[in-house]
Amino acid sequence: MSFKMRLLALIIMGTGLTACGGGGGSNDNLFNPAEDTTTDSTTDDSDPTVDDGSTDDEDSGLSTSDSEDVYTVENEFVGFYIESPQYDPTSYSVGTVYIRTFVTPSNMEEGYIFEGISSFHYEQCQDDNLFTYTGVLQSDGSLESYQTNSTIDGINQTYSVDLTWDESGYKGPYNLAASANIDNTCLTHQQAVRGKIEVYPLNTTQFTDTLSDSVIAFSTEGTRTINWNYSEFSDVASDIEHISISVIDKDALDSIGFFSDEYLLRAELEALQDDPSADSDDIEAAEQALSSALNNHRLQMTEDVFLFQQTISGSLTSFTLPDDVDLVSGGKYLLNLTAWSSDGESNFVYYHSSHEFFAN
């Protein structure tokens, strides 16, 4: 079995990966979680620096999969979480996050819903180790999840996220409650109770500002091998310690039918609002029906859609998926890569890239 991916020549002008604070006084500072949060940018020496808050519309920090594409934000976002080294200084990890919002960020309104899934599954013996969650857009513009219970390495956990859109992606902290030292037949580690999440529109690549004018070309060869080749930042690439790779079953995601009932009610409301002859009582009833559906939405993402997740050496420029990663011919999948380094209680993400591909 083989799979084919679009050739991706990804050129970026350079941007910093930022961690933007969410609402409700939440703090997403990965380096000093007890401190009050300001918007920060990670520098090339892994120290947080205060950003002046300015934006550059011509430097989006995004690269689409084809150079001729006109970049458009959809409502699917893929990215990474990174555990706080302050809470787990010896073995903090990076994993994949998938989030789907009700509509695109520019059209999100207070009370609109989103769903997400985060995998804390690094070793085969860990079973699913999966958090699935839903939540709403708050009045302050942040996506806040409802508390979600799960079992991670045999310990009952409660997971919450608080994310804010910053013109390139959703970013902010995650928090765990009831975390503990894990010591079982599988492995021994400390579950980091805090960390940072950054998710970006599907099929885009982000670099840090140290990789200005960088290029990564992705391709495939043989049956299950992914290649990535660097240019313009070979010196920086040599500093990359880890690359976290994951594969998500996109067909399984799409089959869920996210927000289908709410979409129908929203379409009915918009049709009434556009009809000059519509009765005001009918419009009000349609508004109430949509509001009720949003308020009563229940989690739909209940199955594990992660087929594979593993961290490999940052020096590698190719990887072959194991034979037990079952790719169905013609099936649609997501490949997610995050290149990062760790040094004591500091960490640094060099780039993140997500790609939709078909198995052949």
Side-chain angles (χ1 to χ4, degrees):
M1 183 187 305
S2 65
F3 65 88
K4 177 177 63 179
M5 194 189 316
R6 297 185 200 175
L7 293 180
L8 300 166
L10 301 170
I11 303 175
I12 202 73
M13 295 181 64
T15 187
L17 287 173
T18 61
C20 296
S26 297
N27 170 22
D28 68 339
N29 190 330
L30 188 61
F31 299 91
N32 299 291
E35 295 179 1
D36 291 337
T37 301
T38 57
T39 301
D40 67 277
S41 176
T42 306
T43 63
D44 57 358
D45 62 358
S46 301
D47 290 327
T49 59
V50 176
D51 195 337
D52 63 5
S54 63
T55 59
D56 182 352
D57 292 337
E58 294 183 357
D59 182 10
S60 67
L62 295 167
S63 177
T64 55
S65 55
D66 295 296
S67 59
E68 67 271 15
D69 285 349
V70 176
Y71 172 67
T72 303
V73 176
E74 300 291 346
N75 66 330
E76 289 186 84
F77 303 89
V78 184
F80 61 89
Y81 66 82
I82 184 165
E83 295 182 308
S84 170
Q86 184 164 349
Y87 289 97
D88 187 6
T90 60
S91 63
Y92 57 90
S93 299
V94 168
T96 297
V97 178
Y98 171 90
I99 286 176
R100 189 176 296 202
T101 56
F102 181 53
V103 290
T104 59
S106 60
N107 294 316
M108 286 287 279
E109 299 177 13
E110 181 182 353
Y112 277 6
I113 51 182
F114 75 97
E115 289 200 26
I117 188 167
S118 305
S119 175
F120 280 69
H121 183 183
Y122 309 104
E123 304 292 341
Q124 291 299 317
C125 57
Q126 290 182 279
D127 298 322
D128 289 341
N129 273 29
L130 196 73
F131 287 110
T132 56
Y133 43 92
T134 187
V136 299
L137 182 72
Q138 303 292 328
S139 59
D140 63 0
S142 65
L143 296 178
E144 292 188 14
S145 67
Y146 304 129
Q147 290 188 335
T148 303
N149 297 319
S150 184
T151 301
I152 302 299
D153 294 328
I155 304 295
N156 292 330
Q157 304 280 2
T158 299
Y159 187 72
S160 63
V161 303
D162 185 358
L163 310 176
T164 301
W165 176 255
D166 77 341
E167 304 305 324
S168 63
Y170 283 107
K171 304 167 188 177
Y174 77 79
N175 289 275
L176 295 178
S179 188
N181 292 323
I182 308 299
D183 186 3
N184 55 30
T185 57
C186 175
L187 73 170
T188 299
H189 70 98
Q190 178 179 330
Q191 185 75 45
V193 299
R194 239 188 121 70
K196 178 174 66 176
I197 286 177
E198 298 185 10
V199 292
Y200 301 92
L202 177 61
N203 287 325
T204 59
T205 293
Q206 295 75 33
F207 297 100
T208 63
D209 53 7
T210 62
L211 304 183
S212 179
D213 301 321
S214 303
V215 177
I216 306 180
F218 291 88
S219 63
T220 61
E221 68 178 18
T223 56
R224 307 166 68 84
T225 299
I226 309 151
N227 299 281
W228 54 96
N229 299 296
Y230 303 127
S231 63
E232 302 298 330
F233 62 105
S234 57
D235 292 341
V236 175
S238 65
D239 295 332
I240 297 173
E241 292 184 75
H242 319 284
I243 298 177
S244 294
I245 297 178
S246 66
V247 176
I248 296 175
D249 188 337
K250 186 63 164 60
D251 284 334
L253 280 173
D254 292 342
S255 69
I256 292 173
F258 288 96
F259 321 132
S260 56
D261 293 340
E262 291 85 355
Y263 283 146
L264 288 174
L265 292 170
R266 184 168 178 262
E268 291 173 1
L269 172 60
E270 291 176 342
L272 287 171
Q273 291 172 331
D274 292 338
D275 183 357
S277 64
D279 185 85
S280 60
D281 290 340
D282 291 338
I283 294 176
E284 183 178 354
E287 290 174 342
Q288 292 177 351
L290 175 58
S291 177
S292 176
L294 293 171
N295 291 334
N296 293 291
H297 179 80
R298 295 295 178 264
L299 185 68
Q300 296 170 300
M301 195 181 299
T302 57
E303 300 296 329
D304 188 355
V305 296
F306 287 87
L307 300 181
F308 178 77
Q309 181 162 282
Q310 181 175 327
T311 297
I312 63 174
S313 170
S315 63
L316 297 177
T317 56
S318 67
F319 181 76
T320 300
L321 292 174
D323 291 337
D324 59 359
V325 180
D326 187 17
L327 302 179
V328 177
S329 180
K332 188 189 301 181
Y333 302 91
L334 299 182
L335 172 69
N336 195 64
L337 297 98
T338 305
W340 57 288
S341 293
S342 57
D343 181 15
E345 291 194 8
S346 298
N347 52 33
F348 187 70
V349 175
Y350 292 88
Y351 69 83
H352 166 264
S353 194
S354 66
H355 313 278
E356 194 172 46
F357 66 91
F358 291 88
N360 291 304

